[in-house]
Structure formats: structure tokens, C-alpha cells
Amino acid sequence: MFQNKAELEIYVKGKNFEDSIDGITILQEYIEADPKVITRLEFINSKFYYAVQVDASDSFELCPADACNIEEQFCPTNPDGSKFMIVKDYKDPIIEKCEKFLKANNVEVAGIEYIKDKNGVSYTYDVNTNTNYNSLAEKKTTLSGMRMIAEFLKSELNKLKANLN
């Protein structure tokens, strides 16, 4: 994170800067989340499945995958203290917008991440078409992203088989 243009310039001209393979470097504006959480919406068959609230108070590392969790981290904003928490019955107007976006682009499985700033404005900053599920968060619910994907793929396979007959 750079606080000003001078810090960015020092980094870009420094030895730690790695240019991308295509020579294009993307600089993202930092948007301070309020509260300090991001929300990851999971979609299967282009339909909303569940939302994961991720504590963003101490890091940019917000990956919900099990491989990213060295250990369960404590989050004071979640009732059980978990860094990743599935939010029961999550509702937000952004869900419908995301579903339309996914359907329009033929994306059936995805995780879409967004934050809200101090004024309540939502900013979508990541669309993952190879989603990860957090088993620690799922253990506290009856939800299973991998099971739902398997069921979705099975139904797609059955449709293909029916069309062949």
C-alpha cells in the first residue's frame, strides 16, 4: 500500500518491483471498508449460494481457501471470533446484480468479493471463476460448496446424457 505518489515511484524504480509479463501494471485505489470486513458471495449455477464475511482489519490477505489459513485467526467482529464466517440468510441488492452479470457472461461457478465504504457504497473488486470454500466456516453450518458444485455438475451431466438419447 502506497500513501502517496512518491512512495509508488520509489517502489516502481526499486529492485523489488517485478514488471508483469505483458508490461501492464494495475494500480488499485485503496477503499477503506467500514466496517473492516469484506463480503465474498458464492454462486453455483449462476445463482447465489451463500455469503462469507471476512475480517479485513489486519491484512490484505483475504483468501478464504483452506490453504491460506495457517491457523484459525480471531476476529472480534464475528460472533464466534472466526476470521471467516458464513452469514446466514444474507441479503443485499448486489446479489441480483452479480447473478445477472454471471448469467450474461456464462459463468456458472464463482466467488465475487466486495466491500462497502463508510458511506455504504459497494465496490466489487474481485471475480473468481475458480472459487475456494473455507471448511472452517462451513463446519459451523449445514452448507457445503463442494457438495453443491458436485450436485450441479451431476445435473449438467444428466442433461447431456438425456440429450444424447
Side-chain angles (χ1 to χ4, degrees):
M1 185 163 146
F2 306 104
Q3 298 299 326
N4 54 54
K5 188 176 177 180
E7 286 181 10
L8 172 63
E9 191 171 333
I10 290 168
Y11 174 72
V12 171
K13 291 179 179 178
K15 64 179 179 173
N16 292 327
F17 177 74
E18 284 186 49
D19 202 6
S20 65
I21 195 165
D22 62 2
I24 298 171
T25 299
I26 297 174
L27 181 65
Q28 295 179 311
E29 178 181 358
Y30 177 71
I31 299 163
E32 190 169 343
D34 186 20
K36 299 246 186 248
V37 296
I38 64 103
T39 303
R40 181 179 171 98
L41 305 173
E42 298 291 354
F43 296 87
I44 300 171
N45 194 17
S46 304
K47 295 179 189 133
F48 176 68
Y49 184 52
Y50 67 63
V52 178
Q53 178 178 294
V54 183
D55 172 34
S57 62
D58 64 354
S59 170
F60 289 115
E61 182 54 65
L62 305 174
C63 174
D66 290 336
C68 296
N69 284 336
I70 296 170
E71 59 186 52
E72 179 70 6
Q73 297 178 355
F74 180 75
C75 173
T77 63
N78 290 340
D80 67 357
S82 300
K83 186 168 180 72
F84 303 97
M85 179 185 76
I86 294 174
V87 181
K88 187 177 179 181
D89 301 321
Y90 189 78
K91 302 216 182 326
D92 192 285
I94 199 169
I95 293 171
E96 184 179 344
K97 293 176 185 177
C98 290
E99 286 179 338
K100 287 179 182 178
F101 167 78
L102 294 173
K103 287 177 186 170
N105 289 283
N106 298 314
V107 176
E108 296 173 313
V109 177
I112 298 179
E113 298 174 12
Y114 78 97
I115 64 169
K116 288 189 178 186
D117 70 9
K118 62 185 176 192
N119 298 315
V121 176
S122 296
Y123 293 88
T124 299
Y125 65 88
D126 200 6
V127 177
N128 299 281
T129 56
N130 57 336
T131 194
N132 294 301
Y133 300 103
N134 183 274
S135 64
L136 293 173
E138 284 188 347
K139 279 182 190 175
K140 298 170 186 162
T141 70
T142 58
L143 301 169
S144 171
M146 295 305 280
R147 183 181 66 241
M148 286 303 294
I149 287 176
E151 289 176 15
F152 166 63
L153 292 175
K154 181 180 177 184
S155 72
E156 291 295 295
L157 183 60
N158 288 338
K159 288 178 195 174
L160 286 172
K161 286 180 182 178
N163 287 336
L164 292 175
N165 296 332

